Amino acid sequence: MTPAPSRLRDLPAVVAGIAATVLGAGLGELAAALVAPAASPFAVIGGAMIDLAPAWAKDLAIDLFGTGDKAALLVGIAVLLLVVAGVAGALENRRPPWGRVVLAGLGALGAVVSMTRADAGLLSPVPSLIAGAGAAVVGALLIARLRRPPRRSVADGAPSDEGVTRRGVLALSGVAVMAGALAAFGSVALSGGARAISAVRSALRLPSPATTTTVPDAADLGIDGLSPVITPSADFYRIDTALVVPQVDPATWTLRVHGLVEQEVVLRWDDLVALPQKETVATLVCVSNEVGGSLIGTARWLGVPIRDILARAKPTDEADMVLSRSVDGFTASSPLEALTDDRDALLAIGMNGEPLPLEHGFPVRMVVPGLYGYVSATKWVSELEVTRFDRAEGYWTPRGWSERGPVKLQSRIDVPRAGAQVAAGDAVIAGVAWHNHVGVAGVEVQIDDGPWQPATLASAISADTWVQWSLPWDATTGSHTVRCRAISADGSTQTSDTAPPAPDGATGWDETTVSVA
């Protein structure tokens, strides 16, 4: 019988390495669900990759996958893990015990990384250690069967021991994969913490606001395809660094205000909800939002003005920044003046008439109009450290982003969509414009290379929200290029200079091509 090519001889070992790793990963996720939900091996490694990613990598991920960037990262980690597992299987087959050393080493790496996370506990290394040990042991056992010398030779066409062994190992590998999948599904079923916090949120009743913001009827132009004035919570963009949504019980939540203050303040949930609540409407924008992008939304927010909390602590004269911290370790550096001036910067507990969704920061998050989210919109907030920009940095500043992030004047075309086909005759061009905490005074539209035409603005809710705009259009047959630019309440006109999101927000005019038939 002709010996199998070297690569084919390694194939069962590669499959065995992958199967062992799938089983180990499933066991690790199951262990995390039982003893340390925040220390899921995938979440730990993924979180570390997010922390180490440079600004350009973050931008690329959001450009390619939008709000699905976390799912894409997890898929990427899984693919990379399977490749390493396959290589480890071949290595174990050729040079034992180095394959199992690689698999055990992956678990040890995960355990070490888990201890560096802000929410690390004594049991945080356990899931990764179980994953690595499980993969190493199962991989070694499967591949050891492959390495057994055949006890008889091939005769009269009968299958060799080697062939029988390979089929047996492949079958056992399939069993290992199924066991790993069942363990992973079991981890989801046992995630009682998430279900418990969801139940707490569902039973929670928000206090009535002492003051509210009215949304004028004329704020919505009622044009099909135009972004609604108030973004439904389910459609609100989500960009953050949390692969696993933190599960924070309001009963145990606290907020500590400290640093350059005369009096340290600690608030509990009952303390916060007992204070006068303010309901406001504000637009939030992600700094990664490209020109014409969708990483922006407007919601009704309920909460306590941050300036009232800071007034209790009495910041000293030397302070100029507040470093907010999330329970998962994320930090944002907000200018102190943006939290203490007349804008409605809130410690928000409600969104669109309901408690904050878990993924949007339940039970408490920050909402600061006029600043990009990376320097202000801390979710699951647990700490406000009053400090200085020359003494501390937020999460994204050392990664290449500017330390202060005022939202830039921008506008976007919603109708007609890019590439849309429009019937000749009466049509409409419409969109939204924003210059948070400054306001929008007008929007102009250019069709092809014609003159700029003033659009009609809807009634603005406030300077802290976007505003809808529209322009009637007598559409003629052919292909047309449509552009828009906004005029700020301070008299400035949106720049045509194009710039990427990094380091402090994208600039340029939104442009779309429309076919008219």
Side-chain angles (χ1 to χ4, degrees):
M1 180 177 179
T2 302
S6 176
R7 286 175 295 178
L8 292 182
R9 287 206 307 268
D10 281 335
L11 181 59
V14 169
V15 173
I18 291 174
T21 302
V22 171
L23 177 57
L27 292 175
E29 295 299 315
L30 183 59
L34 291 171
V35 301
S40 154
F42 270 96
V44 164
I45 297 299
M49 292 179 68
I50 291 175
D51 289 349
L52 294 173
W56 65 264
K58 171 180 177 288
D59 270 351
L60 179 61
I62 293 175
D63 286 347
L64 292 175
F65 305 108
T67 55
D69 58 336
K70 295 177 183 61
L73 175 61
L74 290 174
V75 170
I77 293 172
V79 171
L80 179 61
L81 181 63
L82 293 180
V83 171
V84 173
V87 172
L91 185 62
E92 178 70 14
N93 191 38
R94 289 173 176 266
R95 295 183 179 275
W98 290 109
R100 74 192 81 161
V101 169
V102 170
L103 296 178
L106 289 176
L109 176 63
V112 171
V113 172
S114 71
M115 292 303 295
T116 67
R117 311 300 294 169
D119 49 2
L122 290 176
L123 297 178
S124 292
V126 171
S128 292
L129 290 175
I130 288 176
V137 170
V138 174
L141 291 174
L142 288 174
I143 295 169
R145 290 176 63 90
L146 287 173
R147 293 177 54 79
R148 292 176 184 171
R151 290 175 296 181
R152 57 186 174 86
S153 60
V154 178
D156 300 326
S160 68
D161 279 354
E162 184 179 4
V164 172
T165 298
R166 286 182 178 180
R167 287 195 295 273
V169 168
L170 290 175
L172 288 173
S173 296
V175 172
V177 169
M178 288 188 290
L182 287 174
F185 284 126
S187 71
V188 175
L190 290 174
S191 297
R195 293 196 303 273
I197 300 303
S198 293
V200 169
R201 177 187 176 275
S202 298
L204 197 63
R205 294 295 175 264
L206 295 175
S208 299
T211 57
T212 61
T213 298
T214 300
V215 178
D217 292 339
D220 194 327
L221 297 176
I223 297 173
D224 288 343
L226 182 57
S227 298
V229 175
I230 304 297
T231 308
S233 299
D235 298 334
F236 207 94
Y237 78 94
R238 180 198 166 196
I239 298 291
D240 53 53
T241 62
L243 280 177
V244 176
V245 175
Q247 307 297 310
V248 184
D249 188 341
T252 60
W253 174 86
T254 61
L255 177 75
R256 180 185 176 217
V257 185
H258 65 105
L260 298 177
V261 297
E262 295 181 15
Q263 176 66 51
E264 182 171 313
V265 174
V266 176
L267 289 177
R268 299 186 183 279
W269 173 259
D270 289 344
D271 301 324
L272 187 66
V273 297
L275 295 174
Q277 304 290 315
K278 184 166 190 175
E279 185 185 67
T280 189
V281 179
T283 298
L284 301 187
V285 192
C286 179
V287 71
S288 296
N289 197 40
E290 296 278 0
V291 173
S294 60
L295 301 181
I296 178 173
T298 300
R300 287 184 175 273
W301 306 99
L302 176 70
V304 175
I306 297 174
R307 61 176 172 268
D308 293 351
I309 305 302
L310 292 175
R312 291 186 174 195
K314 299 178 182 178
T316 62
D317 292 340
E318 60 179 320
D320 65 4
M321 187 258 274
V322 173
L323 191 71
S324 53
R325 285 188 175 86
S326 169
V327 297
D328 68 347
F330 174 83
T331 55
S333 53
S334 306
L336 177 61
E337 62 182 359
L339 304 182
T340 56
D341 61 15
D342 62 346
R343 78 187 74 195
D344 289 333
L346 300 179
L347 286 171
I349 61 173
M351 180 181 185
N352 291 335
E354 297 181 343
L356 292 171
L358 300 186
E359 64 273 18
H360 287 292
F362 180 83
V364 185
R365 67 168 293 166
M366 290 174 61
V367 171
V368 185
L371 298 180
Y372 287 118
Y374 80 103
V375 294
S376 67
T378 302
K379 301 172 183 175
W380 314 287
V381 63
S382 63
E383 190 175 334
L384 300 179
E385 179 185 358
V386 181
T387 182
R388 293 182 53 83
F389 279 105
D390 58 9
R391 297 183 189 176
E393 293 180 311
Y395 181 92
W396 286 113
T397 305
R399 292 167 171 82
W401 298 83
S402 62
E403 64 180 16
R404 303 167 190 256
V407 175
K408 294 182 176 179
L409 174 64
Q410 274 291 341
S411 57
R412 184 182 77 195
I413 300 168
D414 285 354
V415 180
R417 298 289 183 188
Q421 185 162 339
V422 177
D426 292 339
V428 65
I429 301 169
V432 289
W434 60 91
H435 197 190
N436 303 36
H437 202 58
V438 179
V440 174
V443 172
E444 295 179 328
V445 179
Q446 184 185 54
I447 302 170
D448 298 322
D449 293 318
W452 287 96
Q453 304 176 56
T456 298
L457 290 186
S459 295
I461 301 172
S462 75
D464 291 335
T465 65
W466 62 11
V467 60
Q468 294 182 348
W469 58 265
S470 69
L471 177 75
W473 178 32
D474 182 12
T476 58
T477 302
S479 179
H480 299 279
T481 300
V482 180
R483 303 178 186 89
C484 67
R485 66 184 184 188
I487 301 169
S488 175
D490 65 10
S492 59
T493 299
Q494 180 181 339
T495 181
S496 61
D497 296 338
T498 58
D504 58 0
T507 62
W509 293 338
D510 191 19
E511 179 180 299
T512 187
T513 300
V514 182
S515 177
V516 179

